[in-house]
Amino acid sequence: DAKTTQPPSMDCAEGRAANLPCNHSTISGNEYVYWYRQIHSQGPQYIIHGLKNNETNEMASLIITEDRKSSTLILPHATLRDTAVYYCIVNSGAGSYQLTFGKGTKLSVIP
Amino acid sequence: NAGVTQTPKFRILKIGQSMTLQCAQDMNHNYMYWYRQDPGMGLKLIYYSVGAGITDKGEVPNGYNVSRSTTEDFPLRLELAAPSQTSVYFCASSYPNSYEQYFGPGTRLTVT
């Protein structure tokens, strides 16, 4: 599975959009981009995934560049409850059992 | 639905002791997983199972054993606990060919 690079930490003002970047320059054609988050002391929570098209669900939007070498997770209106570590994971898709979690980005939403 | 449940929440073991971490899910998921998370690090896969009677090793299986006799339960056994096994252990489950894994609340284990 491709390696990902994320900034170790970011701040975002409450109510503003949080844009979390992820670099995955070695991604291969059949690998998906997943995002999970982990609120302090809890188990990780799935957010969204995508292959090459932009995706949106009730939690977030995922923007993947055309060359697929990077992506951005967007939380449109960050709240204090969005303070968490966000993990960008590249994996060859459903049925591929191992999600490799790096250190992620610690997002702090500031009142 | 309770989702994925784990017991105990906390445990302190002495070096050389053994214990079983329990994991159960009520979502009828075929796939189940055990991860460990060391302080400040991401999760690493210990073992996984794609159905009752089928288990396989993940990235860091040494020092652990698993069994899967039912769809609902996936216990993790630590034999001869070592300080290096001090960690938070998460169990997860998913449907076959699903992108979404559901995680339990974790078990915090300290070996001294």
Side-chain angles (χ1 to χ4, degrees), chain A residues 6-12 19-21 84-86 103-108:
Chain A
Q6 298 177 253
S9 63
M10 294 181 63
D11 291 340
C12 177
N19 296 283
L20 292 97
V85 178
Y86 288 77
K103 293 186 178 183
T105 295
K106 172 75 164 95
L107 175 69
S108 298

Side-chain angles (χ1 to χ4, degrees), chain B residues 9-13 19 21 64 78 81-83 85-89 107-111:
Chain B
K9 286 187 170 57
F10 304 92
R11 183 73 186 267
I12 298 174
L13 279 183
M19 76 164 294
L21 283 66
Y64 307 94
L78 278 72
Q85 292 178 305
T86 293
S87 192
V88 181
Y89 291 84
T107 293
R108 280 155 182 75
L109 175 68
T110 301
V111 182

